[in-house]
Amino acid sequence: MGFLDNSTNNIIVDAVLTDYGRQLLARNDGSFSIVKFALGDDEVDYVTIKKFGRTVGKEKIEKNTPVFEAQTNQNFGLKNKLLSLSNPTLVKLPGVTLTGDVTSGKMSFKRTGSTASQSLTLSQNVTDENTIDPELRDQAFIVKLPYRFLELDGSDNTPDSIDSDDIATYIVTRDSTTTSIGGSQLTLTIKTRSISDSVFDYYGDADNKSQISSTVQVTGIQSGVVSELSIVVEK
């Protein structure tokens, strides 16, 4: 959904279904139901506030910021979602630390063998604070990965959806353990799928067809924190 300004004093709401939304609607079995919505500020450049101050910066943002049109591709819509929090004194949002089979912010896989499966642990943290606000402790996470090449290990880890670009979306419950400051943790095992030589020829890197580069994205449902991790799959 987007707000379109047609150079008038009117605000027009442009709402469209995403590709995945149309898939659900096309089932025509009565299961399609819109039950909630989210707002985002992908267009806003907050450097304007730092440069001109809160009063002038806010006015410049309101008057000069171009507004995106509604996106039908759910992978591009609402990259930066807004949160509703009851704590009026909250000044810091949590971040995420990535550990496990991660080297310099990247996970490396082999098509077969011992490194065809790798472990990833996400832990919530917040700088210079002793605890994480309870409203921001993620109870579940949204995991998105390229399903042509990778999947989550485990019989219970069936994708909740797979879009037209073969991006699989999983909703995964947090671990039972927490960090020392009450943050949530999530441990994932990611493994390669069956990848043929022709897939490497088509999707392989331009300078090296023996490897495929992509990303894995994990979003905390309560905190909204998005973590993206580079991955490489080699023959």
Side-chain angles (χ1 to χ4, degrees):
M1 184 174 71
F3 293 97
L4 302 183
D5 179 11
N6 289 340
S7 299
T8 68
N9 291 325
N10 299 322
I11 295 177
I12 301 173
V13 178
D14 176 33
V16 299
L17 287 175
T18 62
D19 296 334
Y20 181 58
R22 286 199 290 268
Q23 290 178 24
L24 297 179
L25 182 63
R27 292 177 181 175
N28 197 28
D29 58 3
S31 63
F32 180 77
S33 177
I34 299 174
V35 296
K36 59 184 177 180
F37 67 91
L39 301 176
D41 60 353
D42 293 359
E43 306 93 335
V44 178
D45 180 8
Y46 286 101
V47 174
T48 305
I49 298 289
K50 294 182 179 180
K51 184 176 180 180
F52 296 100
R54 184 176 296 273
T55 302
V56 176
K58 179 181 177 182
E59 183 178 354
K60 285 183 174 292
I61 288 173
E62 291 174 346
K63 291 184 176 180
N64 301 327
T65 300
V67 179
F68 294 160
E69 293 187 11
Q71 288 277 358
T72 57
N73 188 328
Q74 63 271 15
N75 294 318
F76 297 119
L78 289 188
K79 288 289 187 180
N80 300 283
K81 293 182 180 180
L82 302 181
L83 298 175
S84 296
L85 301 172
S86 61
N87 184 354
T89 63
L90 186 69
V91 295
K92 291 184 179 180
L93 294 176
V96 171
T97 300
L98 303 177
T99 56
D101 297 319
V102 181
T103 303
S104 300
K106 182 174 72 175
M107 296 184 76
S108 298
F109 298 82
K110 287 283 190 180
R111 179 166 55 176
T112 59
S114 60
T115 55
S117 177
Q118 301 279 39
S119 176
L120 174 66
T121 299
L122 296 91
S123 304
Q124 280 189 299
N125 61 68
V126 61
T127 305
D128 298 328
E129 294 289 341
N130 296 322
T131 186
I132 293 178
D133 190 282
E135 287 184 285
L136 295 172
R137 297 174 185 174
D138 292 312
Q139 303 305 308
F141 295 82
I142 300 172
V143 181
K144 293 187 176 184
L145 49 77
Y147 200 60
R148 288 188 181 95
F149 324 121
L150 300 173
E151 63 184 348
L152 292 187
D153 197 8
S155 58
D156 295 334
N157 286 324
T158 302
D160 289 88
S161 67
I162 303 173
D163 68 16
S164 57
D165 295 320
D166 265 348
I167 302 298
T169 298
Y170 300 80
I171 298 178
V172 186
T173 304
R174 51 162 282 183
D175 296 348
S176 58
T177 57
T178 61
T179 66
S180 59
I181 58 174
S184 298
Q185 289 185 315
L186 176 68
T187 302
L188 302 171
T189 300
I190 305 173
K191 66 178 183 179
T192 58
R193 307 191 77 213
S194 177
I195 307 174
S196 65
D197 287 344
S198 61
V199 172
F200 275 96
D201 291 339
Y202 191 84
Y203 293 102
D205 296 351
D207 59 346
N208 184 0
K209 291 298 181 179
S210 293
Q211 71 175 33
I212 299 170
S213 299
S214 189
T215 58
V216 172
Q217 183 187 87
V218 183
T219 304
I221 290 182
Q222 275 69 39
S223 69
V225 175
V226 179
S227 300
E228 289 193 346
L229 181 68
S230 298
I231 62 99
V232 172
V233 182
E234 299 177 342
K235 281 188 177 180

